[in-house]
Coordinates of all heavy atoms in Angstrom, one line a residue:
A4 N -0.5 7.3 -1.5 CA -1.5 7.8 -2.5 C -2.7 6.9 -2.4 O -3.8 7.5 -2.4 CB -0.9 7.7 -3.9
A6 N -3.8 5.3 0.3 CA -4.4 5.6 1.6 C -5.1 6.9 1.5 O -6.2 7.1 2.1 CB -3.3 5.6 2.7
A9 N -8.6 6.8 -0.1 CA -9.6 6.1 0.7 C -10.0 6.8 2.0 O -10.9 6.4 2.7 CB -9.1 4.7 1.1
G17 N -0.4 15.9 14.7 CA -1.4 16.0 15.8 C -2.5 16.9 15.6 O -3.4 17.1 16.5
F23 N -8.3 19.0 2.7 CA -7.1 18.6 1.9 C -7.5 18.1 0.5 O -8.6 17.7 0.3 CB -6.4 17.5 2.7 CG -7.0 16.1 2.7 CD1 -6.8 15.2 1.7 CD2 -8.0 15.8 3.7 CE1 -7.4 13.9 1.7 CE2 -8.6 14.6 3.7 CZ -8.3 13.7 2.7
A28 N -1.0 17.4 -8.9 CA -0.1 18.5 -8.5 C 0.5 18.2 -7.1 O 1.4 18.9 -6.7 CB -0.9 19.8 -8.4
I32 N -2.7 20.5 2.4 CA -3.5 20.3 3.6 C -3.6 21.6 4.3 O -2.6 22.4 4.4 CB -2.8 19.3 4.5 CG1 -2.5 18.0 3.9 CG2 -3.6 19.1 5.8 CD1 -1.6 17.1 4.6
M35 N -7.0 24.9 10.8 CA -6.9 25.9 11.8 C -6.2 25.4 13.1 O -6.6 24.4 13.6 CB -8.3 26.5 12.1 CG -8.9 27.3 11.0 SD -8.0 28.6 10.3 CE -8.0 29.8 11.7
D36 N -5.2 26.1 13.5 CA -4.5 25.8 14.7 C -4.8 27.0 15.7 O -4.0 28.0 15.6 CB -3.0 25.6 14.5 CG -2.3 25.2 15.7 OD1 -2.9 25.0 16.8 OD2 -1.0 25.2 15.6
G37 N -5.9 26.9 16.4 CA -6.3 28.1 17.2 C -6.8 29.2 16.2 O -7.8 28.9 15.5
R38 N -6.2 30.3 16.2 CA -6.6 31.4 15.2 C -5.7 31.4 14.0 O -5.9 32.2 13.1 CB -6.5 32.7 15.9 CG -7.6 32.9 17.0 CD -7.5 34.2 17.6 NE -8.5 34.3 18.6 CZ -8.7 35.4 19.3 NH1 -8.0 36.5 19.0 NH2 -9.6 35.5 20.2
L40 N -4.2 29.9 10.5 CA -4.3 28.9 9.4 C -3.0 28.3 9.1 O -2.0 29.0 8.9 CB -4.9 29.6 8.1 CG -5.0 28.7 6.9 CD1 -6.0 27.6 7.1 CD2 -5.3 29.6 5.7
R41 N -2.9 27.0 9.2 CA -1.7 26.2 8.9 C -1.9 25.6 7.5 O -3.0 25.1 7.2 CB -1.5 25.1 9.9 CG -1.4 25.6 11.4 CD 0.0 26.0 11.9 NE 1.0 25.1 11.5 CZ 1.6 24.2 12.3 NH1 1.2 24.1 13.6 NH2 2.6 23.5 11.9
W43 N 0.2 23.0 4.5 CA 1.3 22.2 4.1 C 1.1 21.8 2.7 O 0.0 21.5 2.2 CB 1.3 20.9 4.9 CG 1.5 21.0 6.4 CD1 2.7 21.0 7.1 CD2 0.6 21.3 7.4 NE1 2.5 21.2 8.4 CE2 1.2 21.4 8.7 CE3 -0.8 21.4 7.4 CZ2 0.5 21.6 9.8 CZ3 -1.5 21.7 8.6 CH2 -0.8 21.7 9.8
Q49 N 7.3 13.8 -3.1 CA 7.4 13.7 -1.7 C 6.3 12.7 -1.2 O 6.6 11.9 -0.3 CB 7.2 15.0 -1.0 CG 8.4 15.9 -1.2 CD 8.1 17.4 -0.7 OE1 6.9 17.8 -0.8 NE2 9.1 18.1 -0.3
V50 N 5.1 12.7 -1.8 CA 4.1 11.7 -1.4 C 4.5 10.3 -1.8 O 4.4 9.4 -1.0 CB 2.7 12.1 -2.1 CG1 1.7 11.0 -1.9 CG2 2.2 13.4 -1.6
A51 N 5.1 10.2 -2.9 CA 5.6 8.8 -3.4 C 6.7 8.3 -2.5 O 6.8 7.1 -2.3 CB 6.0 8.9 -4.8
A52 N 7.5 9.2 -1.9 CA 8.6 8.8 -1.0 C 8.3 8.6 0.4 O 9.1 8.3 1.2 CB 9.8 9.9 -1.2
T54 N 7.1 7.2 3.9 CA 7.3 5.8 4.5 C 6.3 5.6 5.5 O 5.7 6.5 6.1 CB 8.7 5.8 5.2 OG1 8.8 6.8 6.2 CG2 9.8 5.9 4.1
D58 N -2.4 3.3 7.9 CA -2.9 4.7 8.1 C -1.9 5.7 8.6 O -2.1 6.9 8.7 CB -4.1 4.7 9.1 CG -5.3 3.9 8.6 OD1 -5.4 3.8 7.4 OD2 -6.0 3.4 9.4
D59 N -0.7 5.2 9.0 CA 0.3 6.0 9.7 C 1.5 6.2 8.7 O 2.2 5.2 8.3 CB 0.8 5.3 11.0 CG 1.4 6.3 11.9 OD1 1.7 7.4 11.5 OD2 1.6 5.8 13.1
Q61 N 5.0 8.8 7.4 CA 6.0 9.9 7.6 C 6.3 10.6 6.3 O 6.7 9.9 5.3 CB 7.3 9.3 8.2 CG 7.2 8.8 9.6 CD 7.0 9.9 10.6 OE1 7.5 11.0 10.5 NE2 6.2 9.6 11.6
L62 N 6.2 11.9 6.2 CA 6.5 12.7 5.0 C 7.6 13.6 5.3 O 7.7 14.2 6.4 CB 5.3 13.5 4.6 CG 4.2 12.8 3.8 CD1 2.9 13.7 3.9 CD2 4.6 12.7 2.4
L71 N 1.7 11.8 9.4 CA 0.4 11.9 8.7 C -0.4 10.6 9.0 O 0.1 9.5 8.8 CB 0.5 12.1 7.2 CG -0.7 12.4 6.4 CD1 -1.2 13.8 6.7 CD2 -0.4 12.2 4.9
C73 N -4.0 8.8 8.1 CA -5.2 8.9 7.3 C -6.4 8.3 8.1 O -6.3 7.2 8.7 CB -5.0 8.1 6.0 SG -3.7 8.7 5.0
S75 N -10.9 7.8 8.3 CA -12.2 7.8 7.7 C -13.3 8.0 8.7 O -13.2 7.5 9.8 CB -12.4 6.5 6.9 OG -11.5 6.3 5.9
A76 N -14.2 8.8 8.3 CA -15.4 9.1 9.3 C -16.4 8.0 9.2 O -16.5 7.2 8.3 CB -16.0 10.4 8.9

Side-chain angles (χ1 to χ4, degrees):
F23 69 94
I32 305 168
M35 292 301 294
D36 184 7
R38 294 183 180 182
L40 175 65
R41 305 267 319 253
W43 297 265
Q49 290 169 328
V50 172
T54 58
D58 297 332
D59 200 350
Q61 292 290 326
L62 279 162
L71 188 70
C73 298
S75 295

